[in-house]
Amino acid sequence: MYIAMNRFKVQSGSEEAFETVWKSRDSRLASVPGFVEFHLLRGSKNEEENYTLYASHTIWRTQADFTAWTQSEHFRAAHRNAGDTKPSYIGHPQFEGFSVVEGA
């Protein structure tokens, strides 16, 4: 199993718009081989730096399945308008990938 996450620092006041984009987008993940599950996670609010932390969290059967998706037309279509919402978050999303330690 492989878990892929992107962390977003969403400017305070833009949380609802950010969540709406994720709720209404056509991700096409359900039809991608190896895809297991997706969640959008809302983290804590950083009052000092004026943002709320979010993470997109996908679970894949294997890292190879995730990599194949990132190189597919499904991926390009799902991210085609991603730049339209960039003003709502600070900096670039930060990717983190994890392989599950079996038996732990």
Side-chain angles (χ1 to χ4, degrees):
M1 186 179 310
Y2 185 74
I3 297 173
M5 298 176 65
N6 274 301
R7 291 176 177 250
F8 301 85
K9 292 179 178 180
V10 176
Q11 293 179 11
S12 294
S14 297
E15 295 90 349
E16 186 176 339
F18 183 79
E19 290 179 19
T20 298
V21 167
W22 283 88
K23 290 174 184 178
S24 62
R25 71 187 214 143
D26 179 16
S27 73
R28 304 178 187 208
L29 285 173
S31 64
V32 176
F35 170 75
V36 176
E37 194 170 34
F38 170 83
H39 297 279
L40 180 64
L41 308 173
R42 183 186 319 112
S44 60
K45 187 169 192 145
N46 185 317
E47 298 290 345
E48 290 179 9
E49 296 184 35
N50 203 33
Y51 70 83
T52 300
L53 184 64
Y54 283 84
S56 63
H57 179 271
T58 53
I59 300 174
W60 297 86
R61 192 182 59 216
T62 66
Q63 185 173 357
D65 288 329
F66 169 74
T67 300
W69 174 68
T70 64
Q71 298 169 354
S72 73
E73 181 55 38
H74 286 300
F75 179 87
R76 286 186 287 284
H79 292 83
R80 189 162 285 133
N81 298 320
D84 295 350
T85 60
K86 193 169 184 173
S88 68
Y89 52 89
I90 301 166
H92 295 287
Q94 181 176 346
F95 176 78
E96 297 173 322
F98 300 91
S99 296
V100 173
V101 178
E102 298 297 330

